[in-house]
Amino acid sequence: GALRVIDISTPRKLKEIGHVSLPTSVRAVAVQGQYAYLAAEWSGLVVVDVSDPRQPRVAHAHKTPGLATDVHVIGSLALVANSQRGLRLINVSNPLQPKEVGHYDMPGYTYGVFATTEYAYVVGIEKQSGDDVGLTILKISDPTAPVRTGFHKMVYGAERIWVENTYAYLAGVANDAGLIIIDVSNPTAPRWLGRYHDPTCSESVTVSGSHAYLAHGDQGLEIIDISRPMTPTVVSHWDAAGKSRGIQMVGSYAYLANGYTGLRILDVSNPSAPQEIGH
């Protein structure tokens, strides 16, 4: 695995300017200040100094139990979804000496996390029949003692989550494939709102404005109109070779991690007609 730094100042002419190799694959990355925080499978939480993007370097590796699958950083707290070992809460006020301060064990496999200063929203998939999986909301105002405030059970669960305003958007798997929208305005009683159902598996989701952008595995990118959350509808679909795993929005550009075909950049200023402009 590796962290690669790409100069995107000219989206039509991308250039890799630096990289650092890692012994395991990287599942997710969150950047804050001069550090990148990586969920790096068996290596756990890896902190990379990117103050000089041309020479990124590993500053510290904090081993977590299980397989690190997702990371979200807010303030001095890194939240790591850790497969069979639930959610780990790690203080990164000193990025060179991360310290786990709390954890919350969960059933099934923990795959995705999104956080605010007060709450963590965690999703996973079932480990075996009968596991209680879905969306778990944890109060983390005291990170040393996270407390479950709300839960919404789903068939098979989900892998990734994005929270915007009072809605949680989940990239689902199996029977709940596609996009799932849950009202989290009341963290003690999350409420199912709507779903865009698709027979194939979505891998990741991000939201910008009135649209959700799905990295849709073998199906590429799908753009969903979420202005009516009870009835989300497909606006457009962009197909690509490779397997679309992750997506990030920057302005009117969608950056799609697309398996063996690398990084694809799409202009989505017109959501009904996305166009690739660089890779």
Side-chain angles (χ1 to χ4, degrees), residues 4-277:
R4 299 185 177 277
V5 183
I6 312 295
D7 184 342
I8 60 172
S9 56
T10 306
R12 296 180 185 275
K13 192 176 181 180
L14 304 180
K15 182 181 180 182
E16 180 178 320
I17 59 173
H19 78 276
V20 59
S21 297
L22 296 166
T24 55
S25 294
V26 177
R27 292 289 192 95
V29 59
V31 178
Q32 182 169 270
Q34 68 180 55
Y35 294 98
Y37 298 87
L38 282 56
E41 293 192 342
W42 300 113
S43 293
L45 176 68
V46 176
V47 183
V48 178
D49 185 337
V50 292
S51 54
D52 180 357
R54 298 182 182 278
Q55 293 184 318
R57 61 180 183 85
V58 173
H60 191 86
H62 179 83
K63 184 73 174 71
T64 56
L67 188 80
T69 56
D70 198 11
V71 58
H72 193 108
V73 178
I74 184 159
S76 61
L77 192 64
L79 299 97
V80 180
N82 212 242
S83 189
Q84 299 180 55
R85 300 302 296 271
L87 182 70
R88 322 306 291 192
L89 295 92
I90 300 170
N91 187 308
V92 291
S93 54
N94 180 354
L96 303 181
Q97 293 181 323
K99 180 181 179 182
E100 182 171 317
V101 294
H103 72 275
Y104 190 88
D105 291 330
M106 298 179 62
Y109 294 102
T110 306
Y111 267 66
V113 59
F114 194 100
T116 65
T117 54
E118 192 170 6
Y119 294 101
Y121 304 83
V122 189
V123 292
I125 61 175
E126 71 170 358
K127 182 167 58 177
Q128 59 188 22
S129 179
D131 274 339
D132 204 19
V133 296
L135 168 64
T136 298
I137 303 178
L138 302 173
K139 189 175 180 63
I140 58 168
S141 48
D142 178 2
T144 66
V147 177
R148 188 171 97 164
T149 63
F151 176 76
H152 188 93
K153 182 174 175 59
M154 296 183 301
V155 178
Y156 298 112
E159 288 199 4
R160 286 291 184 264
I161 180 170
W162 184 278
V163 179
E164 190 87 1
N165 298 320
T166 60
Y167 298 136
Y169 301 88
L170 283 63
V173 297
N175 288 351
D176 283 340
L179 178 69
I180 302 159
I181 304 176
I182 295 178
D183 183 344
V184 293
S185 56
N186 180 355
T188 66
R191 181 172 62 94
W192 179 287
L193 282 182
R195 176 179 69 176
Y196 158 64
H197 184 266
D198 191 284
T200 57
C201 178
S202 51
E203 301 273 351
S204 184
V205 58
T206 189
V207 171
S208 179
S210 60
H211 294 92
Y213 300 82
L214 286 178
H216 219 299
D218 294 330
Q219 305 300 310
L221 170 70
E222 265 185 325
I223 303 178
I224 313 295
D225 185 338
I226 54 172
S227 56
R228 297 180 179 179
M230 297 183 70
T231 55
T233 56
V234 176
V235 173
S236 61
H237 171 247
W238 182 83
D239 199 7
K243 195 173 184 68
S244 301
R245 294 283 192 179
I247 185 166
Q248 178 69 47
M249 295 296 300
V250 181
S252 60
Y253 297 131
Y255 295 79
L256 193 65
N258 205 61
Y260 61 82
T261 69
L263 176 70
R264 325 299 293 192
I265 300 187
L266 306 177
D267 183 339
V268 294
S269 53
N270 179 2
S272 63
Q275 293 186 343
E276 181 174 357
I277 61 169

